Amino acid sequence: MSRADCTKHWTEKIYRQTEYLLQPNPSARIEEFLYEKLDMKAPSRVTNAELLGQYMEDAAKEFGAGTPYGSTLLKVGDCERRLGAAEREFIQTSAISFLNPLRNFLEGDWRTISRERRLLENLRLDLDACKARVKKAKAAEAKAGVAPDFQETRPRNYVLSASASALWTEEVEKAEQDLRLAQTEFDRQAEVTRLLLEGISSTHVNHLRCLHEFVEAQAAYYKQGHVHMLELQKELGRLPNAFALNSTHSVAAAAGASEGTESPVETETLKIEEVQAPATGTRKAKVLYDYDAADSSELSLLADELITVYTVPGMDSDWLIGEKGNQKGKVPVTYLELLS
């Protein structure tokens, strides 16, 4: 029975915490609980990521989709909506494959086990009462069966004693019959309870299968999120960077006004073939993800390969110059792990 109680205790804790994970909002959980008790379908709820994506897309329309900020908001907003859709799918899958089986155990199998255990306890109390009754009746029968002393006891008392002995003998027989009946009912209920408790092993097997399905759903959800974010990074890497453009223009204007000299790197177009590696300041970098070059000025990358990187004056801080073999081009910093 201790194994069954332990199973109930931890299943309840895991169930509650999984609920908090899938739906952190307590008001939303209460609402879903009420809909379930009323046997009504809960309305579809928009995830926070989907709502954020909607706000970003609406803001982009206000700011102008052709502006750098507006176009970036559109890209990020679309990604957030896809992340939200993946989250909603994960919540639905987890509720069906993991939460529902745990709840079915707590509200179904465990309630049955608890009811049968209470019934077994009541039958045990009845059995103890029958045993006490038989013991008491036998003691009274033995006392009544003691032969009276004819010299000190009148005949009338002897007759009464014989009659009482017969009554107690009858009471003993009846108590023993009730005891046999109580023992039979207790044994039958004990067998039913034993079979239910043995079913806890099957419950563990079922919950193990559900746990694997929950892990698969969670892994698929995080994988989708990782893919969406990588795609977003690639798309943002191809968009014009307003900060870099403004910074380049400011540097060029200041240099022209004060010294009248030109920057070693052109302000708007970086000519890769003219870029030379500095004598010092080059570093090795490990490529984290595959990257497809958007144009001839960029360098395509493969995950896990090692390249040499460096920066040049006036270059956007989000990019570096990368070299591998005879190839050279711009590479995004976010796709690299710089090595010491």
Side-chain angles (χ1 to χ4, degrees):
M1 289 189 180
S2 61
R3 187 164 183 255
D5 291 332
C6 185
T7 300
K8 183 260 182 184
H9 171 74
W10 288 110
T11 300
E12 199 168 43
K13 280 185 171 292
I14 293 172
Y15 174 78
R16 295 302 175 199
Q17 195 58 41
T18 305
E19 271 192 326
Y20 301 154
L21 171 68
L22 299 180
Q23 180 51 267
N25 188 341
S27 299
R29 292 199 301 272
I30 293 174
E31 180 182 341
E32 292 172 357
F33 174 79
L34 292 176
Y35 273 107
E36 181 182 348
K37 291 303 177 183
L38 294 174
D39 199 19
M40 297 172 60
K41 183 179 180 180
S44 179
R45 188 183 301 277
V46 178
T47 63
N48 291 328
E50 288 177 306
L51 190 59
L52 174 61
Q54 182 62 53
Y55 288 164
M56 287 183 171
E57 291 177 352
D58 292 343
K61 294 176 183 177
E62 291 287 335
F63 299 144
T67 64
Y69 185 36
S71 60
T72 303
L73 279 173
L74 282 176
K75 296 290 185 182
V76 178
D78 179 64
C79 181
E80 292 295 336
R81 287 169 69 96
R82 284 182 287 158
L83 288 173
E87 180 186 1
R88 189 172 63 252
E89 181 182 355
F90 165 62
I91 292 173
Q92 294 172 350
T93 302
S94 299
I96 295 172
S97 63
F98 190 59
L99 272 186
N100 287 351
L102 297 185
R103 183 173 56 196
N104 291 339
F105 167 74
L106 294 171
E107 297 181 356
D109 295 349
W110 180 252
R111 288 185 179 179
T112 301
I113 291 173
S114 299
R115 183 176 63 250
E116 297 300 328
R117 285 172 62 176
R118 287 194 300 269
L119 182 58
L120 179 65
E121 182 64 19
N122 292 335
L123 290 177
R124 187 189 65 80
L125 295 175
D126 292 344
L127 181 61
D128 291 343
C130 289
K131 290 179 179 179
R133 180 183 170 192
V134 169
K135 183 177 180 181
K136 182 178 179 181
K138 286 185 175 181
E141 180 189 31
K143 184 176 180 180
V146 176
D149 188 345
F150 288 101
Q151 295 181 356
E152 298 181 0
T153 306
R154 290 177 294 179
R156 182 172 178 275
N157 290 341
Y158 176 75
V159 172
L160 290 175
S161 177
S163 177
S165 179
L167 288 174
W168 280 113
T169 300
E170 182 179 350
E171 176 65 18
V172 168
E173 292 178 354
K174 184 178 179 181
E176 288 179 340
Q177 182 179 358
D178 291 344
L179 175 61
R180 287 192 294 270
L181 180 61
Q183 185 68 56
T184 301
E185 292 180 353
F186 176 81
D187 292 341
R188 182 170 59 249
Q189 184 60 34
E191 180 65 16
V192 171
T193 306
R194 183 185 67 80
L195 293 175
L196 286 174
L197 293 176
E198 287 180 353
I200 291 295
S201 297
S202 299
T203 298
H204 286 189
V205 172
N206 182 44
H207 288 180
L208 176 61
R209 177 183 57 80
C210 296
L211 183 60
H212 277 280
E213 293 180 1
F214 175 67
V215 171
E216 291 298 324
Q218 201 168 26
Y221 165 57
Y222 288 129
K223 183 178 180 180
Q224 277 184 303
H226 182 64
V227 170
H228 291 330
M229 294 309 298
L230 286 181
E231 292 175 353
L232 177 62
Q233 281 186 317
K234 288 183 178 181
E235 292 178 357
L236 294 184
R238 297 188 179 101
L239 291 176
N241 191 314
F243 290 108
L245 189 59
N246 292 338
S247 175
T248 304
H249 281 192
S250 299
V251 171
S258 60
E259 299 179 4
T261 58
E262 295 183 357
S263 170
V265 179
E266 294 190 10
T267 59
E268 305 218 359
T269 304
L270 181 67
K271 295 183 178 180
I272 296 299
E273 62 275 7
E274 297 179 0
V275 174
Q276 298 296 326
T280 60
T282 61
R283 299 179 65 178
K284 290 292 184 180
K286 179 181 178 182
V287 179
L288 299 177
Y289 321 107
D290 292 349
Y291 178 75
D292 296 326
D295 53 47
S296 59
S297 69
E298 296 181 6
L299 179 65
S300 295
L301 304 174
L302 295 176
D304 296 328
E305 67 179 343
L306 294 177
I307 63 173
T308 301
V309 295
Y310 53 89
T311 186
V312 294
M315 188 174 181
D316 181 3
S317 60
D318 292 334
W319 295 80
L320 292 171
I321 300 298
E323 292 185 2
K324 58 175 182 178
N326 296 325
Q327 296 178 307
K328 178 167 57 177
K330 294 190 302 181
V331 292
V333 174
T334 53
Y335 280 68
L336 304 174
E337 176 186 356
L338 298 178
L339 305 176
S340 58

